[in-house]
Amino acid sequence: MAARAILHVDMDAFYAAVEVLQNPALIGKPVIVGGSAERGVVASCSYEARAFGIKSAMSSSQARRLCPQAIWISGNHGLYGEYSEKVHECFAEVTPLIEPIALDEAFLDVTGARRLLGDPVKIATDLRNRIREVTGLVCSVGVGPSKLIAKLASVAAKPPIPGKGERVLPPGARRGGEGVAVVVPSEQLTFLHSHPARALWGIGPQTMARLERYGVKTVADLASLSEDTLIRAVGNAHGRHLHLLSNGIDDRAVEADRGVKSIGHEETFGTDHSEVSVLSIEIVRMADAVSNRLRDSKRSAKTITLKLKFSDFRLITRSKSVPVPVTSGVTIASVAKALLNEADVVSLVRDQGVRLLGVSVSGLLELTDQSPGREVLTEPPLVDQLDLFADMTSLDNKPHDRPPSTAVNTVDLDRAVASVKERFGDAALAPAVLATSDGLRVKRRGDTQWGQSLPEPPTVLPNEPNNERI
DNA sequence: TCTGGGGTCCTCCCACTA
DNA sequence: TCTGTAGTGGGAGGACCC
Protein backbone atom coordinates (compact mmCIF):
# COMPACT_ATOMS: atom_id res chain seq x y z
CA MET A 1 0.00 0.00 0.00
CA ALA A 2 1.37 3.44 -0.92
CA ALA A 3 2.29 5.76 1.94
CA ARG A 4 -0.17 8.45 2.90
CA ALA A 5 0.49 12.00 1.79
CA ILE A 6 -0.41 14.51 4.47
CA LEU A 7 0.02 18.28 4.24
CA HIS A 8 0.20 20.57 7.23
CA VAL A 9 -0.57 24.13 6.20
CA ASP A 10 0.32 26.92 8.62
CA MET A 11 -0.25 30.57 7.79
CA ASP A 12 2.80 32.75 8.49
CA ALA A 13 2.20 35.29 11.30
CA PHE A 14 -1.48 35.06 10.36
CA TYR A 15 -3.17 37.81 12.40
CA ALA A 16 -0.31 40.24 11.94
CA ALA A 17 -0.20 39.49 8.19
CA VAL A 18 -3.94 40.21 7.88
CA GLU A 19 -3.46 43.54 9.66
CA VAL A 20 -0.60 44.45 7.30
CA LEU A 21 -2.83 43.59 4.33
CA GLN A 22 -5.48 45.92 5.72
CA ASN A 23 -2.99 48.71 6.20
CA PRO A 24 0.05 48.67 3.90
CA ALA A 25 1.64 51.42 6.02
CA LEU A 26 2.52 48.62 8.44
CA ILE A 27 4.73 46.81 5.90
CA GLY A 28 8.23 46.27 7.28
CA LYS A 29 7.27 47.41 10.80
CA PRO A 30 7.23 45.42 14.05
CA VAL A 31 3.51 44.72 14.44
CA ILE A 32 2.06 42.90 17.44
CA VAL A 33 -1.51 41.63 17.62
CA GLY A 34 -2.64 41.03 21.18
CA GLY A 35 -3.85 42.63 24.39
CA SER A 36 -1.59 45.56 25.08
CA ALA A 37 -2.71 46.12 28.69
CA GLU A 38 -0.72 44.86 31.68
CA ARG A 39 -2.48 41.48 31.68
CA GLY A 40 -2.46 41.02 27.92
CA VAL A 41 -0.61 38.55 25.77
CA VAL A 42 0.93 38.45 22.28
CA ALA A 43 -1.29 36.50 19.89
CA SER A 44 0.75 37.01 16.74
CA CYS A 45 3.54 39.29 15.55
CA SER A 46 5.21 40.21 12.30
CA TYR A 47 8.62 38.79 11.45
CA GLU A 48 10.07 42.27 12.06
CA ALA A 49 8.83 42.00 15.67
CA ARG A 50 10.23 38.48 15.97
CA ALA A 51 13.67 39.89 15.23
CA PHE A 52 13.40 41.56 18.69
CA GLY A 53 12.76 38.18 20.32
CA ILE A 54 8.98 38.55 20.52
CA LYS A 55 7.00 35.33 20.28
CA SER A 56 3.36 34.27 20.41
CA ALA A 57 1.99 33.74 23.94
CA MET A 58 4.58 36.09 25.43
CA SER A 59 3.21 38.46 28.06
CA SER A 60 2.57 41.93 26.73
CA SER A 61 4.70 43.58 29.39
CA GLN A 62 7.69 41.47 28.36
CA ALA A 63 7.05 42.22 24.68
CA ARG A 64 6.92 45.94 25.47
CA ARG A 65 10.33 45.72 27.14
CA LEU A 66 11.83 43.87 24.18
CA CYS A 67 10.40 46.18 21.52
CA PRO A 68 9.14 49.53 22.85
CA GLN A 69 8.57 50.83 19.32
CA ALA A 70 6.24 47.99 18.32
CA ILE A 71 2.85 48.86 16.83
CA TRP A 72 0.10 47.17 18.86
CA ILE A 73 -3.24 46.10 17.40
CA SER A 74 -5.91 44.62 19.62
CA GLY A 75 -7.13 42.27 16.89
CA ASN A 76 -10.28 41.59 14.92
CA HIS A 77 -11.50 38.03 15.35
CA GLY A 78 -14.25 38.44 12.77
CA LEU A 79 -11.86 39.65 10.09
CA TYR A 80 -9.43 36.79 10.73
CA GLY A 81 -12.37 34.41 10.46
CA GLU A 82 -13.23 35.81 7.04
CA TYR A 83 -9.66 35.30 5.80
CA SER A 84 -9.63 31.84 7.33
CA GLU A 85 -12.76 30.95 5.36
CA LYS A 86 -11.08 32.04 2.12
CA VAL A 87 -8.05 29.90 2.94
CA HIS A 88 -10.29 26.92 3.68
CA GLU A 89 -12.02 27.39 0.35
CA CYS A 90 -8.59 26.98 -1.26
CA PHE A 91 -8.09 23.78 0.75
CA ALA A 92 -11.43 22.46 -0.45
CA GLU A 93 -10.27 22.84 -4.08
CA VAL A 94 -7.60 20.22 -3.30
CA THR A 95 -9.31 17.66 -1.05
CA PRO A 96 -12.41 17.20 1.09
CA LEU A 97 -10.23 15.61 3.80
CA ILE A 98 -9.44 18.76 5.77
CA GLU A 99 -8.93 18.83 9.54
CA PRO A 100 -8.94 22.42 10.79
CA ILE A 101 -6.68 22.91 13.82
CA ALA A 102 -7.10 26.66 14.25
CA LEU A 103 -8.05 29.66 12.12
CA ASP A 104 -4.58 29.61 10.58
CA GLU A 105 -3.72 25.94 10.45
CA ALA A 106 -5.02 22.65 9.04
CA PHE A 107 -4.10 19.13 8.00
CA LEU A 108 -5.01 17.95 4.51
CA ASP A 109 -4.93 14.33 3.38
CA VAL A 110 -4.00 14.49 -0.32
CA THR A 111 -3.32 10.77 -0.75
CA GLY A 112 -6.29 10.41 -3.06
CA ALA A 113 -5.66 13.65 -4.94
CA ARG A 114 -2.31 12.61 -6.41
CA ARG A 115 -3.64 11.07 -9.60
CA LEU A 116 -5.61 14.23 -10.41
CA LEU A 117 -3.33 16.96 -9.08
CA GLY A 118 0.18 15.52 -9.24
CA ASP A 119 2.69 14.54 -6.57
CA PRO A 120 2.28 15.92 -3.03
CA VAL A 121 5.07 18.47 -3.44
CA LYS A 122 3.39 19.91 -6.53
CA ILE A 123 0.05 19.95 -4.70
CA ALA A 124 1.66 21.78 -1.77
CA THR A 125 3.36 24.35 -4.01
CA ASP A 126 0.22 24.95 -6.08
CA LEU A 127 -1.88 25.30 -2.94
CA ARG A 128 0.55 27.78 -1.42
CA ASN A 129 0.47 29.86 -4.62
CA ARG A 130 -3.32 29.66 -4.76
CA ILE A 131 -3.72 30.90 -1.16
CA ARG A 132 -1.37 33.79 -1.90
CA GLU A 133 -3.31 34.65 -5.08
CA VAL A 134 -6.73 34.54 -3.36
CA THR A 135 -5.88 36.15 -0.01
CA GLY A 136 -2.51 37.86 -0.39
CA LEU A 137 -1.29 35.83 2.58
CA VAL A 138 1.75 33.57 2.78
CA CYS A 139 1.81 30.13 4.36
CA SER A 140 4.27 27.34 5.03
CA VAL A 141 3.48 23.77 4.06
CA GLY A 142 4.93 20.56 5.46
CA VAL A 143 4.58 17.35 3.46
CA GLY A 144 4.97 13.95 5.11
CA PRO A 145 3.57 10.46 5.51
CA SER A 146 1.81 11.30 8.82
CA LYS A 147 0.32 14.23 10.69
CA LEU A 148 3.29 14.34 13.06
CA ILE A 149 5.88 14.50 10.29
CA ALA A 150 3.87 16.98 8.20
CA LYS A 151 3.47 19.23 11.23
CA LEU A 152 7.19 19.23 12.02
CA ALA A 153 8.00 19.75 8.33
CA SER A 154 5.83 22.87 8.17
CA VAL A 155 7.85 24.34 11.05
CA ALA A 156 11.02 23.62 9.05
CA ALA A 157 9.44 25.38 6.05
CA LYS A 158 8.87 28.65 7.95
CA PRO A 159 10.64 31.77 6.68
CA PRO A 160 13.81 32.89 8.48
CA ILE A 161 13.57 35.53 11.20
CA PRO A 162 15.25 38.76 10.02
CA GLY A 163 18.80 39.05 11.29
CA LYS A 164 18.99 35.41 12.39
CA GLY A 165 20.39 33.98 9.14
CA GLU A 166 18.94 31.32 6.87
CA ARG A 167 16.90 28.56 8.49
CA VAL A 168 18.77 25.25 8.27
CA LEU A 169 16.61 22.28 7.33
CA PRO A 170 16.80 19.36 9.80
CA PRO A 171 18.38 16.15 8.46
CA GLY A 172 15.91 14.03 6.51
CA ALA A 173 13.94 17.02 5.19
CA ARG A 174 14.34 18.64 1.81
CA ARG A 175 13.00 21.83 0.37
CA GLY A 176 10.15 21.38 -2.09
CA GLY A 177 10.17 24.99 -3.23
CA GLU A 178 9.71 28.25 -1.38
CA GLY A 179 7.79 27.70 1.88
CA VAL A 180 7.48 23.94 1.37
CA ALA A 181 9.44 21.23 3.23
CA VAL A 182 9.14 17.54 2.43
CA VAL A 183 10.00 14.40 4.38
CA VAL A 184 9.74 11.07 2.53
CA PRO A 185 8.87 7.88 4.48
CA SER A 186 12.39 6.46 4.28
CA GLU A 187 13.80 9.60 5.92
CA GLN A 188 11.15 10.15 8.58
CA LEU A 189 13.07 8.60 11.47
CA THR A 190 16.23 10.55 10.65
CA PHE A 191 14.11 13.72 10.51
CA LEU A 192 12.08 12.95 13.61
CA HIS A 193 14.97 11.86 15.84
CA SER A 194 16.92 15.06 15.15
CA HIS A 195 14.24 17.13 16.92
CA PRO A 196 14.20 18.08 20.59
CA ALA A 197 11.64 16.00 22.47
CA ARG A 198 9.76 19.20 23.28
CA ALA A 199 8.87 19.49 19.56
CA LEU A 200 6.45 16.57 19.83
CA TRP A 201 2.78 17.35 20.29
CA GLY A 202 1.84 16.46 23.84
CA ILE A 203 5.17 17.35 25.44
CA GLY A 204 4.79 20.60 27.33
CA PRO A 205 6.88 22.02 30.18
CA GLN A 206 5.58 19.55 32.81
CA THR A 207 6.03 16.41 30.71
CA MET A 208 9.45 17.60 29.55
CA ALA A 209 10.55 18.11 33.15
CA ARG A 210 9.55 14.51 33.94
CA LEU A 211 11.29 13.15 30.85
CA GLU A 212 14.49 15.02 31.65
CA ARG A 213 14.77 12.92 34.80
CA TYR A 214 15.25 9.97 32.43
CA GLY A 215 17.91 11.81 30.49
CA VAL A 216 15.61 12.61 27.57
CA LYS A 217 16.54 15.61 25.47
CA THR A 218 15.74 14.58 21.89
CA VAL A 219 13.11 12.46 20.19
CA ALA A 220 15.88 9.88 19.62
CA ASP A 221 16.37 9.69 23.42
CA LEU A 222 12.64 9.22 23.81
CA ALA A 223 12.60 6.40 21.24
CA SER A 224 15.38 4.62 23.13
CA LEU A 225 13.18 4.26 26.23
CA SER A 226 10.91 1.24 26.58
CA GLU A 227 7.16 1.70 26.55
CA ASP A 228 7.01 0.59 30.21
CA THR A 229 9.53 3.25 31.22
CA LEU A 230 7.56 5.93 29.40
CA ILE A 231 4.33 4.80 31.03
CA ARG A 232 6.03 5.03 34.43
CA ALA A 233 7.30 8.50 33.57
CA VAL A 234 4.17 10.16 32.17
CA GLY A 235 1.22 7.82 32.69
CA ASN A 236 -0.58 5.18 30.69
CA ALA A 237 -2.21 6.83 27.69
CA HIS A 238 0.42 9.52 27.35
CA GLY A 239 3.30 7.03 27.67
CA ARG A 240 1.94 4.68 25.00
CA HIS A 241 1.23 7.60 22.68
CA LEU A 242 4.73 9.07 23.02
CA HIS A 243 6.31 5.63 22.53
CA LEU A 244 4.54 5.26 19.19
CA LEU A 245 5.20 8.83 18.03
CA SER A 246 8.90 8.77 18.91
CA ASN A 247 9.26 5.62 16.79
CA GLY A 248 7.59 7.28 13.83
CA ILE A 249 4.33 5.36 14.23
CA ASP A 250 1.47 7.79 13.70
CA ASP A 251 -1.55 6.47 11.84
CA ARG A 252 -3.98 9.10 13.11
CA ALA A 253 -6.41 9.95 10.34
CA VAL A 254 -7.12 13.44 9.08
CA GLU A 255 -10.55 13.94 10.63
CA ALA A 256 -12.74 16.14 8.48
CA ASP A 257 -15.72 16.26 10.81
CA ARG A 258 -14.40 16.78 14.30
CA GLY A 259 -17.37 18.18 16.16
CA VAL A 260 -17.26 20.89 18.80
CA LYS A 261 -17.23 19.38 22.31
CA SER A 262 -17.67 22.51 24.41
CA ILE A 263 -18.41 26.21 24.10
CA GLY A 264 -17.26 28.78 26.60
CA HIS A 265 -16.15 32.28 27.41
CA GLU A 266 -13.68 33.52 29.95
CA GLU A 267 -12.15 36.84 30.74
CA THR A 268 -9.30 38.17 32.83
CA PHE A 269 -10.35 41.32 34.61
CA GLY A 270 -8.25 44.47 34.66
CA THR A 271 -8.41 44.33 38.45
CA ASP A 272 -9.33 41.46 40.74
CA HIS A 273 -12.90 41.18 42.05
CA SER A 274 -13.77 39.83 45.49
CA GLU A 275 -17.49 40.65 45.55
CA VAL A 276 -19.85 37.84 44.66
CA SER A 277 -22.44 40.35 43.41
CA VAL A 278 -20.00 41.74 40.83
CA LEU A 279 -19.00 38.26 39.70
CA SER A 280 -22.67 37.30 39.39
CA ILE A 281 -23.14 40.03 36.83
CA GLU A 282 -20.08 38.84 34.92
CA ILE A 283 -21.58 35.34 34.95
CA VAL A 284 -24.76 36.67 33.37
CA ARG A 285 -22.67 38.38 30.67
CA MET A 286 -20.63 35.25 29.90
CA ALA A 287 -23.69 32.99 30.03
CA ASP A 288 -25.53 35.25 27.61
CA ALA A 289 -22.62 35.04 25.16
CA VAL A 290 -22.35 31.26 25.55
CA SER A 291 -26.09 30.94 25.02
CA ASN A 292 -25.90 32.99 21.82
CA ARG A 293 -23.23 30.68 20.42
CA LEU A 294 -25.10 27.56 21.52
CA ARG A 295 -28.20 28.82 19.75
CA ASP A 296 -26.19 29.71 16.61
CA SER A 297 -24.72 26.21 16.53
CA LYS A 298 -28.20 24.70 17.05
CA ARG A 299 -27.04 22.76 20.08
CA SER A 300 -28.02 22.35 23.69
CA ALA A 301 -25.74 21.45 26.58
CA LYS A 302 -25.92 19.11 29.56
CA THR A 303 -23.05 20.37 31.72
CA ILE A 304 -22.32 23.90 32.88
CA THR A 305 -18.84 24.69 34.19
CA LEU A 306 -17.71 27.72 36.17
CA LYS A 307 -14.01 28.53 36.12
CA LEU A 308 -12.29 30.90 38.52
CA LYS A 309 -8.67 31.97 38.69
CA PHE A 310 -7.69 33.70 41.90
CA SER A 311 -5.13 36.41 42.54
CA ASP A 312 -2.54 33.76 43.47
CA PHE A 313 -3.20 32.05 40.09
CA ARG A 314 -4.86 29.08 41.73
CA LEU A 315 -7.45 27.77 39.27
CA ILE A 316 -10.63 25.97 40.24
CA THR A 317 -13.51 24.63 38.18
CA ARG A 318 -16.96 23.67 39.41
CA SER A 319 -19.44 21.96 37.15
CA LYS A 320 -22.98 20.72 37.26
CA SER A 321 -24.84 18.46 34.88
CA VAL A 322 -28.52 19.21 34.50
CA PRO A 323 -31.26 16.67 33.74
CA VAL A 324 -32.57 18.65 30.77
CA PRO A 325 -30.13 19.95 28.12
CA VAL A 326 -30.23 23.75 28.01
CA THR A 327 -29.61 26.60 25.59
CA SER A 328 -30.98 29.48 27.62
CA GLY A 329 -28.59 32.09 29.01
CA VAL A 330 -30.86 32.48 32.04
CA THR A 331 -30.55 28.80 32.91
CA ILE A 332 -26.80 28.67 32.27
CA ALA A 333 -26.31 31.77 34.44
CA SER A 334 -28.52 30.35 37.19
CA VAL A 335 -26.52 27.13 37.40
CA ALA A 336 -23.19 28.97 37.24
CA LYS A 337 -24.30 31.36 39.97
CA ALA A 338 -25.38 28.45 42.14
CA LEU A 339 -21.86 27.02 41.71
CA LEU A 340 -20.35 30.40 42.61
CA ASN A 341 -22.49 30.59 45.73
CA GLU A 342 -21.25 27.31 47.17
CA ALA A 343 -19.70 28.03 50.55
CA ASP A 344 -16.10 27.05 49.75
CA VAL A 345 -16.13 29.06 46.55
CA VAL A 346 -17.56 32.17 48.19
CA SER A 347 -14.90 32.06 50.87
CA LEU A 348 -12.13 31.72 48.25
CA VAL A 349 -13.59 34.63 46.29
CA ARG A 350 -13.69 36.87 49.37
CA ASP A 351 -10.26 35.86 50.64
CA GLN A 352 -8.34 35.78 47.37
CA GLY A 353 -10.08 37.97 44.81
CA VAL A 354 -10.79 36.69 41.31
CA ARG A 355 -8.69 37.68 38.29
CA LEU A 356 -10.42 35.44 35.72
CA LEU A 357 -13.94 34.14 35.40
CA GLY A 358 -15.21 31.74 32.79
CA VAL A 359 -18.47 30.00 31.94
CA SER A 360 -18.55 27.06 29.57
CA VAL A 361 -20.94 24.31 28.55
CA SER A 362 -20.22 20.76 27.41
CA GLY A 363 -22.06 17.55 26.75
CA LEU A 364 -23.42 19.14 23.59
CA LEU A 365 -26.43 17.72 21.78
CA GLU A 366 -27.93 18.63 18.44
CA LEU A 367 -31.23 20.44 18.87
CA THR A 368 -33.99 18.24 17.56
CA ASP A 369 -36.28 21.18 16.90
CA GLN A 370 -34.52 23.84 14.85
CA SER A 371 -36.73 26.71 15.98
CA PRO A 372 -34.71 29.40 17.73
CA GLY A 373 -34.16 29.00 21.43
CA ARG A 374 -36.07 25.73 21.67
CA GLU A 375 -34.98 23.72 24.70
CA VAL A 376 -35.05 19.97 24.24
CA LEU A 377 -37.74 19.43 26.78
CA THR A 378 -38.81 16.06 27.96
CA GLU A 379 -39.70 17.24 31.45
CA PRO A 380 -40.50 20.58 33.09
CA PRO A 381 -37.71 23.06 32.39
CA LEU A 382 -35.03 23.27 35.03
CA VAL A 383 -35.28 27.01 35.05
CA ASP A 384 -38.72 26.71 36.56
CA GLN A 385 -36.99 25.43 39.67
CA LEU A 386 -34.65 28.39 39.72
CA ASP A 387 -35.29 31.99 40.41
CA LEU A 388 -35.46 33.59 37.01
CA PHE A 389 -35.61 37.05 38.44
CA ALA A 390 -32.54 36.45 40.56
CA ASP A 391 -30.81 37.62 37.37
CA MET A 392 -32.66 40.84 37.33
CA THR A 393 -30.74 42.57 40.04
CA SER A 394 -29.34 46.01 39.56
CA LEU A 395 -25.72 46.85 40.20
CA ASP A 396 -26.45 47.47 43.88
CA ASN A 397 -27.75 43.89 43.97
CA LYS A 398 -31.31 44.94 44.84
CA PRO A 399 -34.02 43.10 42.97
CA HIS A 400 -36.22 45.06 40.63
CA ASP A 401 -39.81 45.51 41.70
CA ARG A 402 -41.82 42.52 40.64
CA PRO A 403 -44.50 40.65 42.50
CA PRO A 404 -43.01 37.33 43.63
CA SER A 405 -46.07 35.49 42.45
CA THR A 406 -45.70 36.59 38.83
CA ALA A 407 -45.70 33.45 36.72
CA VAL A 408 -43.65 33.51 33.54
CA ASN A 409 -43.28 30.72 31.06
CA THR A 410 -39.50 30.81 30.78
CA VAL A 411 -39.41 28.62 27.71
CA ASP A 412 -41.62 31.08 25.87
CA LEU A 413 -39.41 33.88 27.17
CA ASP A 414 -36.30 32.17 25.82
CA ARG A 415 -37.95 31.63 22.47
CA ALA A 416 -38.94 35.28 22.33
CA VAL A 417 -35.39 36.36 23.21
CA ALA A 418 -33.97 34.01 20.57
CA SER A 419 -36.28 35.30 17.91
CA VAL A 420 -35.38 38.95 18.65
CA LYS A 421 -31.68 38.11 18.55
CA GLU A 422 -32.07 36.17 15.32
CA ARG A 423 -33.72 39.16 13.71
CA PHE A 424 -31.70 42.05 15.14
CA GLY A 425 -28.43 40.45 16.24
CA ASP A 426 -27.07 39.18 19.56
CA ALA A 427 -26.37 42.67 20.85
CA ALA A 428 -30.01 43.73 20.45
CA LEU A 429 -31.14 42.20 23.71
CA ALA A 430 -29.36 41.29 26.91
CA PRO A 431 -30.14 40.69 30.57
CA ALA A 432 -31.01 43.88 32.45
CA VAL A 433 -27.97 43.67 34.70
CA LEU A 434 -25.76 44.28 31.67
CA ALA A 435 -27.31 47.68 31.01
CA THR A 436 -25.01 50.62 31.71
CA SER A 437 -25.17 54.30 30.85
CA ASP A 438 -22.99 53.44 27.81
CA GLY A 439 -25.35 50.74 26.57
CA LEU A 440 -25.40 46.96 26.95
CA ARG A 441 -22.19 45.26 28.15
CA VAL A 442 -22.61 42.35 25.77
CA LYS A 443 -19.80 39.83 25.49
CA ARG A 444 -18.85 38.74 21.99
CA ARG A 445 -16.43 36.06 20.91
CA GLY A 446 -12.93 37.50 20.52
CA ASP A 447 -13.72 40.71 22.46
CA THR A 448 -10.79 40.25 24.80
CA GLN A 449 -9.26 37.29 23.06
CA TRP A 450 -5.77 38.13 24.22
CA GLY A 451 -6.52 40.06 27.37
CA GLN A 452 -7.56 43.62 27.84
CA SER A 453 -6.08 46.39 25.71
CA LEU A 454 -5.10 49.82 26.87
CA PRO A 455 -7.73 52.58 26.50
CA GLU A 456 -8.27 54.35 23.19
CA PRO A 457 -8.12 51.42 20.85
CA PRO A 458 -5.77 52.01 17.96
CA THR A 459 -7.18 53.26 14.70
CA VAL A 460 -4.83 52.83 11.80
CA LEU A 461 -5.20 55.23 8.93
CA PRO A 462 -3.60 54.43 5.59
CA ASN A 463 -0.06 55.77 5.37
CA GLU A 464 -0.25 57.14 8.87
CA PRO A 465 0.06 54.45 11.49
CA ASN A 466 -1.29 55.88 14.69
CA ASN A 467 -1.62 52.71 16.66
CA GLU A 468 -0.76 53.13 20.25
CA ARG A 469 2.96 52.98 20.71
CA ILE A 470 4.08 51.65 24.01
C1' DT B 1 9.27 37.96 36.01
C1' DC B 2 4.93 36.81 34.46
C1' DT B 3 1.49 33.95 33.38
C1' DG B 4 -4.82 35.35 27.72
C1' DG B 5 -8.69 32.95 25.63
C1' DG B 6 -10.78 28.98 23.75
C1' DG B 7 -10.50 24.63 23.39
C1' DT B 8 -9.34 19.01 23.93
C1' DC B 9 -7.99 15.03 26.28
C1' DC B 10 -6.57 12.45 30.20
C1' DT B 11 -6.34 11.00 35.11
C1' DC B 12 -7.90 10.58 39.59
C1' DC B 13 -11.39 10.35 42.99
C1' DC B 14 -15.81 9.38 44.57
C1' DA B 15 -20.58 7.89 44.61
C1' DC B 16 -23.76 4.86 42.89
C1' DT B 17 -25.35 0.42 41.28
C1' DA B 18 -25.58 -4.39 40.10
C1' DT C 1 -29.44 -8.54 54.99
C1' DC C 2 -24.74 -7.45 54.76
C1' DT C 3 -20.25 -7.09 52.45
C1' DG C 4 -16.93 -6.93 48.77
C1' DT C 5 -16.07 -5.89 44.01
C1' DA C 6 -16.24 -4.19 39.42
C1' DG C 7 -18.17 -1.07 36.19
C1' DT C 8 -19.79 3.46 35.20
C1' DG C 9 -20.49 8.27 35.20
C1' DG C 10 -19.89 12.84 37.17
C1' DG C 11 -16.85 16.21 38.98
C1' DA C 12 -12.38 18.39 39.53
C1' DG C 13 -8.09 19.39 37.98
C1' DG C 14 -3.78 18.97 35.16
C1' DA C 15 -1.47 19.39 30.87
C1' DC C 16 -1.37 20.64 26.43
C1' DC C 17 -2.44 22.93 21.94
C1' DC C 18 -2.90 27.24 18.88
Side-chain angles (χ1 to χ4, degrees):
Chain A
M1 197 174 82
R4 291 189 301 160
I6 310 291
L7 308 188
H8 179 257
V9 184
D10 197 357
M11 305 305 293
D12 297 341
F14 181 54
Y15 303 149
V18 170
E19 295 297 343
V20 171
L21 269 184
Q22 296 296 302
N23 179 9
L26 298 173
I27 292 172
K29 300 208 165 70
V31 175
I32 299 176
V33 177
S36 57
E38 199 57 35
R39 291 177 171 181
V41 72
V42 175
S44 171
C45 58
S46 65
Y47 277 78
E48 290 78 8
R50 288 173 201 216
F52 290 86
I54 294 168
K55 295 173 184 168
S56 298
M58 178 180 275
S59 75
S60 297
S61 50
Q62 192 182 357
R64 273 201 300 275
R65 278 198 300 277
L66 288 171
C67 184
Q69 69 271 42
I71 297 164
W72 286 78
I73 297 170
S74 56
N76 183 340
H77 196 266
L79 180 66
Y80 308 148
E82 286 171 23
Y83 272 92
S84 179
E85 271 180 34
K86 287 185 197 169
V87 171
H88 279 76
E89 283 165 15
C90 297
F91 294 161
E93 292 172 6
V94 173
T95 174
L97 293 175
I98 304 160
E99 181 179 326
I101 305 297
L103 280 183
D104 63 337
E105 196 179 327
F107 286 110
L108 279 69
D109 187 335
V110 298
T111 311
R114 288 182 289 200
R115 179 174 283 183
L116 197 64
L117 301 175
D119 70 77
V121 179
K122 180 177 182 305
I123 295 174
T125 306
D126 290 348
L127 176 60
R128 189 173 180 275
N129 292 337
R130 176 72 176 148
I131 290 171
R132 189 179 225 168
E133 176 191 319
V134 170
T135 66
L137 296 168
V138 178
C139 64
S140 301
V141 188
V143 184
S146 67
K147 285 161 85 169
L148 170 67
I149 299 294
K151 165 82 183 166
L152 293 174
S154 76
V155 175
K158 286 282 173 195
I161 293 169
K164 306 272 176 184
E166 271 302 301
R167 197 184 277 273
V168 179
L169 277 183
R174 65 178 174 84
R175 212 165 281 290
E178 195 191 349
V180 177
V182 191
V183 178
V184 295
S186 59
E187 293 290 335
Q188 63 168 332
L189 279 183
T190 307
F191 173 71
L192 184 59
H193 287 177
S194 70
H195 281 79
R198 185 72 173 79
L200 289 191
W201 255 6
I203 300 185
Q206 303 291 330
T207 307
M208 194 62 225
R210 288 185 189 183
L211 292 172
E212 276 172 349
R213 288 184 217 138
Y214 291 79
V216 170
K217 288 193 170 62
T218 66
V219 180
D221 297 333
L222 202 58
S224 71
L225 296 182
S226 70
E227 188 182 52
D228 285 347
T229 306
L230 273 175
I231 288 172
R232 264 201 310 279
V234 299
N236 196 358
H238 206 183
R240 288 176 203 276
H241 183 60
L242 289 182
H243 179 69
L244 290 173
L245 286 189
S246 63
N247 285 286
I249 302 164
D250 176 22
D251 54 7
R252 290 170 298 173
V254 171
E255 293 179 59
D257 52 358
R258 285 179 59 186
V260 181
K261 303 235 170 24
S262 65
I263 292 174
H265 280 292
E266 58 191 66
E267 202 169 297
T268 297
F269 306 125
T271 53
D272 299 346
H273 292 309
S274 51
E275 289 172 42
V276 171
S277 59
V278 173
L279 295 174
S280 294
I281 292 167
E282 293 302 321
I283 283 177
V284 172
R285 195 163 70 93
M286 303 284 175
D288 185 56
V290 169
S291 160
N292 289 337
R293 284 175 59 201
L294 257 183
R295 203 178 291 114
D296 288 347
S297 68
K298 297 191 165 43
R299 288 183 174 90
S300 58
K302 273 205 75 182
T303 304
I304 293 106
T305 302
L306 175 72
K307 179 175 177 179
L308 296 170
K309 191 187 272 183
F310 298 99
S311 57
D312 63 353
F313 280 84
R314 183 181 165 199
L315 184 71
I316 65 163
T317 57
R318 292 287 184 275
S319 56
K320 184 79 196 159
S321 295
V322 293
V324 182
V326 296
T327 55
S328 138
V330 172
T331 314
I332 295 167
S334 297
V335 175
K337 284 200 281 184
L339 292 168
L340 175 70
N341 280 298
E342 281 175 9
D344 62 323
V345 179
V346 168
S347 105
L348 277 169
V349 166
R350 292 193 175 137
D351 294 349
Q352 291 282 336
V354 173
R355 65 176 284 137
L356 171 146
L357 181 143
V359 174
S360 64
V361 293
S362 54
L364 304 184
L365 300 165
E366 298 281 333
L367 277 176
T368 51
D369 181 339
Q370 303 291 305
S371 63
R374 177 81 167 93
E375 304 275 13
V376 181
L377 292 173
T378 53
E379 53 186 272
L382 174 80
V383 74
D384 281 356
Q385 304 156 29
L386 304 163
D387 180 6
L388 170 69
F389 296 102
D391 286 317
M392 305 218 173
T393 48
S394 51
L395 282 168
D396 58 4
N397 213 27
K398 288 179 188 156
H400 292 285
D401 290 339
R402 177 173 282 278
S405 60
T406 304
V408 173
N409 181 330
T410 56
V411 177
D412 285 347
L413 175 65
D414 287 333
R415 277 190 212 154
V417 167
S419 112
V420 170
K421 288 186 173 185
E422 189 163 83
R423 190 158 171 205
F424 299 106
D426 288 339
L429 203 59
V433 286
L434 304 184
T436 69
S437 54
D438 298 326
L440 291 173
R441 284 182 63 235
V442 178
K443 169 94 181 158
R444 287 193 197 84
R445 190 177 194 194
D447 271 353
T448 53
Q449 179 99 38
W450 305 292
Q452 310 278 350
S453 286
L454 291 172
E456 295 181 32
T459 310
V460 182
L461 299 172
N463 305 319
E464 191 185 343
N466 64 343
N467 278 289
E468 54 193 311
R469 287 173 181 276
I470 299 166

